[in-house]
Amino acid sequence: MSAEKGPKHGLILAVNAGSSSLKISLFKRDGASSESPHDVVELLLTSTITNISQPPALFSFQPVAHSEGREAKKEPVQTIKDHATAFQHFLDYLKREASIDRSEIVHICHRVVHGGDYFEPVVITDESYHYIERLSDLAPLHNGGALSVMKACISELPNANSIAYFDTSFHRTMPQHIAMYAIRQDIAKKRGLKKYGFHGLSYAFILRAVASFLNKAPTDVNLIVMHLGSGASMCAIRHGKSLDTTMGLTPVSGLPGATRSGAIDPSLIFHYTNRAGRITHDRAAAVDVHVTQAEDILNKRAGWAALTGTTDFGTIVREMNAVEARRDKGEEVKEDEGKWKIAFDLFLDRILGYLGAYYVKLGGEVDALVFAGGIGERSIELRDAVVEKVKCLGFALDPQANLEVDKHEGAVVDIGKPKDLRRVLVCRTDEQLEMAKECAMDPKFWEE
């Protein structure tokens, strides 16, 4: 089923469902063309709903112009219970407090983490909805939320097209031998068992933004990008295309996250859950570990939350710094207080392992290291630690620039010392804007 074409200046709603959050941006299409990918959409407003799984949810609403509605900042909302009710609250607020007619919304772009064999944006129909639904087990923290918002959109905005944009699409260019696992390929192909990669909308935005910053065509750019947040991944980009990425069949592989384990020995889960309480191959001590239980442990009960008790990486850094300051003064530090630095060092180690591998895969031809995501954009200490370790590769940090990222506007900030070769950049990624741009530039969605 093809999309109903919208009027050329219609509104685009971009929706990004996280595991416990919902980010929404409303754009106006503004003279878009595939030859001119910059400034093809105009941002009208943004809204963020957080703490959906830990009520009360917090609702924020930020119009670009005051005439477009009343601002709200982290207002607690008791009626929000899930992603669907979060989106409903946004629509109610839009109708009540904003001057925008929601009937002008012609396309709704949904970020979908796992697209399986869908490599291009797809209009949501019964067929595509159920296909994405079947993939939810591979991305349990995200696909379910996206699907519930799609349902709400179809119900509340029936005249708008709901269009799915997939995080996996960006990585379809990975060579076969990189995407392949060393298992029987007849079974692998039948069941779709391969590396898909994720955070693709973020990487697409970063590639476009960094190429523009470097005054290069995207096809001329080689990057090592670190999307570091509660869900963390890295990507090697060669000539503007994904060469390799850390996440695999599901987002649980690769770097550890707030509640994800990252890459582990596959047999660990069986020893983790057995009755023996130790490593053993005694069948009598084995427990039937269903895939749902394994996914739950590795997706939701691991990561730095399992190491420290908090999902907030900023808290980990602050506690680590406080403990180290006390240690430097000669004060007593309890053994348990070392957990903060261990969690930080573990994350750093895993980042460096992939960074070094990607540097070699790119033959040392790297235009920039790019930090992105909530942690990548905000953690001064982590950026400093990473770049300090890769000085041997020719990268260097400008300490003052690293401290003052928040003082600079724009999508890309240069925090490196050499300004001509080995660049170190911070990119404020925006998955909603990326979807809106892709939608605005796609002629099949618009009237002439």
Side-chain angles (χ1 to χ4, degrees):
M1 174 182 166
S2 60
E4 290 290 327
K5 292 194 174 187
K8 61 182 180 179
H9 293 298
L11 302 185
I12 302 169
L13 191 67
V15 183
N16 184 349
S19 55
S20 186
S21 65
L22 187 63
K23 298 177 185 176
I24 304 168
S25 301
L26 184 65
F27 300 90
K28 179 181 178 182
R29 188 172 184 256
D30 191 17
S33 72
S34 58
E35 289 78 27
S36 177
H38 304 293
D39 303 320
V40 295
V41 291
E42 176 188 350
L43 179 65
L44 300 180
L45 60 86
T46 62
S47 180
T48 305
I49 304 102
T50 58
N51 289 15
I52 292 174
S53 61
Q54 296 175 309
L58 302 177
F59 177 79
S60 299
F61 185 94
Q62 177 70 54
V64 173
H66 291 296
S67 61
E68 289 164 355
R70 180 178 70 84
E71 184 176 346
K73 287 187 177 180
K74 295 186 176 180
E75 295 180 353
V77 182
Q78 299 292 344
T79 55
I80 294 176
K81 306 298 182 186
D82 50 29
H83 287 82
T85 52
F87 185 72
Q88 185 62 58
H89 183 82
F90 164 78
L91 289 179
D92 292 344
Y93 193 94
L94 188 70
K95 182 178 181 179
R96 187 175 67 249
E97 303 288 351
S99 59
I100 292 166
D101 181 357
R102 67 183 189 176
S103 67
E104 295 178 19
I105 299 171
V106 294
H107 299 307
I108 307 168
C109 305
H110 300 265
R111 177 195 171 209
V112 179
V113 169
H114 211 308
D117 291 327
Y118 281 141
F119 292 130
E120 300 294 335
V122 62
V123 177
I124 298 303
T125 62
D126 284 345
E127 180 185 356
S128 56
Y129 181 91
H130 291 304
Y131 179 80
I132 296 166
E133 191 174 39
R134 290 195 297 274
L135 292 169
S136 291
D137 282 345
L138 297 178
L141 298 185
H142 293 84
N143 269 25
L147 286 164
S148 64
V149 174
M150 286 177 199
K151 268 190 174 179
C153 288
I154 292 167
S155 172
E156 299 295 327
L157 300 169
N159 296 321
N161 294 303
S162 272
I163 308 165
Y165 287 79
F166 302 104
D167 265 335
T168 43
S169 298
F170 183 78
H171 303 293
R172 66 187 182 276
T173 56
M174 285 189 296
Q176 184 182 21
H177 69 281
I178 290 178
M180 181 184 291
Y181 293 119
I183 56 176
R184 277 181 50 182
Q185 288 305 294
D186 56 335
I187 296 174
K189 289 176 182 177
K190 183 179 179 181
R191 301 189 182 189
L193 304 177
K194 63 179 181 179
K195 176 186 280 196
Y196 288 95
F198 302 92
H199 289 139
L201 288 165
S202 176
Y203 290 128
F205 177 91
I206 292 164
L207 171 63
R208 201 195 304 262
V210 170
S212 175
F213 183 82
L214 297 176
N215 293 313
K216 289 187 172 187
T219 51
D220 294 333
V221 171
N222 291 352
L223 304 172
I224 298 175
V225 184
M226 294 160 277
H227 179 112
L228 307 177
S230 294
S233 73
M234 293 173 61
C235 184
I237 297 175
R238 182 174 64 187
H239 304 315
K241 295 180 179 180
S242 176
L243 172 67
D244 197 0
T245 190
T246 54
M247 288 179 170
L249 173 71
T250 74
V252 79
S253 190
L255 294 175
T259 63
R260 289 182 181 134
S261 66
I264 60 168
D265 185 316
S267 66
L268 179 144
I269 193 68
F270 303 108
H271 298 293
Y272 189 86
T273 56
N274 70 29
R275 296 187 188 95
R278 56 183 171 79
I279 294 176
T280 179
H281 293 278
D282 182 356
R283 290 189 178 185
V287 173
D288 270 344
V289 182
H290 298 286
V291 65
T292 50
Q293 182 187 358
E295 287 277 340
D296 182 66
I297 292 169
L298 300 178
N299 260 307
K300 300 179 181 179
R301 291 190 272 156
W304 54 75
L307 299 175
T308 66
T310 181
T311 58
D312 187 342
F313 194 79
T315 297
I316 291 171
V317 173
R318 286 191 296 275
E319 293 291 340
M320 176 185 73
N321 289 341
V323 169
E324 293 305 304
R326 284 170 43 218
R327 194 193 305 275
D328 290 343
K329 291 178 182 177
E331 296 179 15
E332 182 184 357
V333 173
K334 296 177 182 177
E335 184 178 352
D336 180 64
E337 292 180 296
K339 66 186 180 183
W340 310 108
K341 190 171 190 313
I342 287 173
F344 183 91
D345 287 347
L346 185 147
F347 193 37
L348 172 62
D349 173 78
R350 303 308 191 265
I351 291 168
L352 294 172
Y354 288 112
L355 196 159
Y358 290 169
Y359 186 86
V360 172
K361 287 191 176 191
L362 292 169
E365 297 180 2
V366 179
D367 294 298
L369 296 181
V370 185
F371 291 91
I375 296 170
E377 292 175 28
R378 299 187 189 100
S379 183
I380 295 166
E381 292 87 350
L382 185 63
R383 293 194 300 259
D384 180 71
V386 169
V387 180
E388 176 66 25
K389 290 290 188 179
V390 296
K391 283 199 302 187
C392 58
L393 302 179
F395 297 96
L397 202 63
D398 181 328
Q400 196 63 32
N402 188 39
L403 288 170
E404 296 178 349
V405 169
D406 289 344
K407 294 183 180 180
H408 296 272
E409 295 184 354
V412 181
V413 180
D414 193 336
I415 59 170
K417 264 187 181 171
K419 303 297 183 186
D420 54 347
L421 185 60
R422 296 271 192 256
R423 308 293 280 269
V424 181
L425 308 174
V426 175
C427 183
R428 299 181 176 104
T429 189
D430 190 331
E431 291 153 325
Q432 295 93 271
L433 178 55
E434 180 62 25
M435 288 190 289
K437 282 184 174 183
E438 290 186 21
C439 179
M441 292 188 293
D442 196 330
K444 69 174 176 283
F445 294 142
W446 304 96
E447 296 172 356
E448 294 295 331

